[in-house]
Amino acid sequence: VQMSGKTNEINIALNYQDKHQGVKYKGKFVIGYLGSLLPWHGVDLLVKAFAKIHDQLPNAILLIVGDGRCHSDVLALAN
């Protein structure tokens, strides 16, 4: 299963399995999270913070890999 959401270059990849997608990130400043998407992990704060700093780092992307209870919440924030 691969899902993605996008807001201003915020890319969310859940259950990411395509090994050739790395080319897509060439020349980008990648900020990543790998882990469970649970309320106490604060991934929502990471998405909100990234949205605020993206103006100063226009070549930055946020890549989130994981799954969990907050999956739909994180996607909604990114959209």
Side-chain angles (χ1 to χ4, degrees), residues 16-23:
Y16 184 75
Q17 295 177 356
D18 187 348
K19 64 184 174 189
H20 300 290
Q21 289 291 345
V23 174

Side-chain angles (χ1 to χ4, degrees), residues 1-72:
V1 175
Q2 182 175 340
M3 301 176 65
S4 65
K6 187 173 182 178
T7 297
N8 292 334
E9 298 302 312
I10 298 174
N11 294 318
I12 307 246
L14 301 169
N15 297 325
Y16 184 75
Q17 295 177 356
D18 187 348
K19 64 184 174 189
H20 300 290
Q21 289 291 345
V23 174
K24 174 169 141 175
Y25 304 120
K26 187 172 184 173
K28 301 284 187 178
F29 181 80
V30 179
I31 299 170
Y33 173 83
L34 173 64
S36 300
L37 301 178
L38 298 170
W40 52 86
H41 289 168
V43 179
D44 59 326
L45 297 176
L46 177 62
V47 172
K48 291 174 187 175
F50 182 81
K52 290 183 178 186
I53 65 165
H54 186 259
D55 289 338
Q56 295 188 3
L57 295 170
N59 71 327
I61 61 167
L62 176 59
L63 178 64
I64 297 173
V65 180
D67 201 4
R69 205 168 20 170
C70 294
H71 172 174
S72 59

